[in-house]
């Protein structure tokens, strides 16, 4: 197969793991995972989630890695070069990346706004959880302030992408990921030292099997997909920059372990704090923006913990927005033959426009709804419930049934230099189990069960 030879490649050995983990670890782990786990029974959910990650997430991650590194192209180009008829899987990914950015940048902007408010002491001035709720609702509904932070976040992402794969993406992951881990560990330890922490950890870790229902399984799978960034070609794009000697099996295993570890640490940070303050763990998406600042406020050095926490969210979100942006930039650059800078600018302009509309849809444009949902909620709904499961499903089918099995084996074993015992099991999972389960999630998300 013809492969472009002047393509960027990641440098160091660790880089493949760091950039891919940078994409996976994000708001999905720290903002979404704890509230979804809290809503779905804590320990019981955790158990199902870990099973979903191991049995479905890991094979799918390896499938995307194989497609990306075999083709050495952006998401659309990768599927197109392996089989023209399957380029739709790539287009699905590019569209999904734009739509996810539309709402993800808005939430990322909030985290930046909250970090600034923690630093200026504004967060410390609230007295009760109700004050925090009012503050959050006012902030989100304001026409200008959230927009300003969203725009800043988009520009920061643009800056990294415009610097290119090695100088931008790779360097930022090498800097930001260790910072993120450091901040997370400090916060989790602080939280575990709170009185009442044990009760929180019991809720988080002890499974109550009576709470495992079909819906727990489906919610856990959806969370695993979003958290691992699979189903929309992000990992195809990143793997296209991996070196030929990178061990895909090991990289995928490390990314999965890191992503899960961050979700666990986020749980260890949030549940003890929530229980110690006597707050319901099922508070929903507001857990991070309303509940946590009020908990931090009651602690010694409260503003410092708040600022550190929101800094952590900013870092996690940034490495993920970079990966989403790269899916679209690489596509425009390679398939539409635009200069990389131009491709990045177009992506930035389009996502900024969409994110602006999504942000306003929670404030001044609240009346404009699509099937009863604000634009912000529609973007979340359409990507998580339709485009990501569809992308995952077709990726399983493509790699399981269509991709030449020799290509799949060659990618996983680096042309026979690594042991290939795992390949038949992976192919089996990708052919049968993964698509069947993903289809079930898809139908369930559409409300057909
Ligand atoms: N995995 C990211 C998170 O957990 O926040 C979100 C995400 C990034 C989803 C990139 C999809 C993607 F392609």
């Amino acid at each position: 197969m013809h492969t472009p030879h002047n393509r960027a490649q990641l440098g160091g050995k660790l880089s493949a793991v760091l950039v891919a983990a940078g994409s996976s670890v994000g708001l999905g782990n720290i903002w979404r995972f704890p509230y979804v786990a809290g809503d779905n029974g804590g320990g019981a959910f955790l158990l199902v989630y870990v099973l979903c990650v191991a049995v479905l997430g890991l094979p799918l991650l390896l499938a995307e890695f194989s497609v990306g590194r075999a083709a050495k192209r952006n998401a659309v180009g990768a599927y197109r070069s392996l089989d023209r008829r399957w380029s739709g899987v790539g287009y699905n990914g590019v569209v999904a990346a734009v739509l996810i950015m539309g709402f993800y940048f808005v939430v990322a902007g909030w985290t930046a706004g909250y970090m600034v408010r923690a630093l200026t002491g504004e967060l410390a001035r609230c007295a009760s959880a109700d004050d925090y709720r009012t503050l959050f609702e006012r902030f989100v509904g304001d026409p200008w302030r959230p927009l300003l932070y969203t725009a800043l976040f988009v520009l920061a992402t643009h800056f990294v992408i415009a610097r290119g794969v090695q100088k931008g993406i790779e360097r930022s992951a090498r800097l930001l990921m260790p910072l993120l881990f450091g901040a997370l560990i400090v916060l989790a330890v602080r939280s575990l030292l709170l009185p009442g922490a044990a009760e929180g950890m019991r809720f988080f870790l002890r499974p109550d099997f009576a709470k495992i229902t079909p819906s727990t399984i489906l919610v856990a799978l959806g969370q695993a997909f979003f958290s691992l960034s699979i189903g929309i070609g992000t990992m195809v794009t990143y793997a296209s920059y991996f070196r030929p000697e990178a061990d895909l099996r090991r990289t995928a295993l490390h990314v999965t372990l890191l992503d899960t570890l961050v979700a666990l640490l986020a749980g260890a940070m949030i549940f003890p704090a929530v229980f110690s303050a006597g707050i319901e763990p099922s508070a929903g998406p507001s857990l991070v923006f309303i509940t946590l600042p009020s908990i931090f406020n009651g602690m010694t050095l409260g503003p410092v913990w708040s600022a550190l926490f929101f800094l952590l969210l900013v870092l996690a979100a940034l490495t993920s927005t970079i990966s989403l942006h790269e899916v679209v930039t690489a596509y425009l650059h390679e398939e539409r033959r635009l200069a990389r800078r131009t491709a990045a600018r177009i992506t930035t302009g389009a996502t900024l426009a969409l994110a602006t509309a999504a942000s306003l849809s929670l404030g001044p444009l609240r009346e404009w709804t699509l099937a009863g949902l604000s634009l912000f909620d529609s973007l979340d709904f359409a990507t998580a419930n339709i485009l990501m499961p569809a992308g995952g499903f077709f990726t399983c089918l493509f790699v399981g049934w269509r991709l030449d099995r020799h290509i799949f084996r060659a990618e996983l074993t680096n042309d026979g230099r690594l042991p290939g015992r795992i390949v038949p099991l992976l192919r089996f999972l990708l052919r049968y189990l993964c698509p069947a389960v993903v289809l079930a999630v898809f139908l369930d998300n559409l409300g057909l069960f």
Side-chain angles (χ1 to χ4, degrees), residues 23-29 100 104 226-229 232 234 320 323-324 388:
S23 171
S24 304
V25 174
L27 297 174
N29 305 60
I100 292 180
Y104 203 90
F226 188 78
S227 190
L228 286 171
S229 308
I232 69 157
T234 305
S320 298
S323 71
L324 288 160
M388 287 187 102

Side-chain angles (χ1 to χ4, degrees), residues 24-38 40 45-46 48-50 52-53 57 104 215-230 259-260 262-264 266 380 384-385 388-389 441 445:
S24 304
V25 174
L27 297 174
N29 305 60
I30 306 171
W31 163 68
R32 197 170 189 273
F33 174 79
Y35 86 72
V36 172
N40 288 277
F45 176 85
L46 180 63
V48 182
Y49 174 77
V50 169
C52 287
V53 166
Y104 203 90
S215 110
T216 320
I217 302 174
L218 300 168
V219 173
L221 183 66
Q223 173 62 22
F225 256 58
F226 188 78
S227 190
L228 286 171
S229 308
I230 44 186
D259 190 65
T260 309
V262 173
L264 288 174
D380 186 351
N385 297 343
M388 287 187 102
V441 178
N445 277 328

Side-chain angles (χ1 to χ4, degrees), residues 317-406:
L318 186 60
T319 49
S320 298
T321 54
I322 291 169
S323 71
L324 288 160
H325 197 294
E326 180 64 15
V327 171
V328 187
T329 300
Y331 158 70
L332 290 176
H333 174 45
E334 293 174 3
E335 301 302 302
R336 301 278 149 189
R337 306 204 177 277
L338 298 172
R340 193 176 154 92
R341 268 176 193 281
T342 316
R345 279 191 198 135
I346 292 175
T347 309
T348 298
T351 45
L352 188 55
L354 189 60
T356 302
S359 180
L360 292 175
S361 79
L362 299 174
L365 303 183
R366 209 173 291 129
E367 309 301 310
W368 296 13
T369 52
L370 286 161
L373 292 178
S374 64
L375 176 63
F376 178 93
D377 291 328
S378 323
L379 292 172
D380 186 351
F381 179 86
T383 49
N385 297 343
I386 302 172
L387 299 182
M388 287 187 102
F393 177 69
F394 286 108
T395 304
C396 292
L397 292 189
F398 178 73
V399 176
W401 296 91
R402 180 66 198 91
L403 182 68
D404 183 339
R405 67 165 74 194
H406 301 295

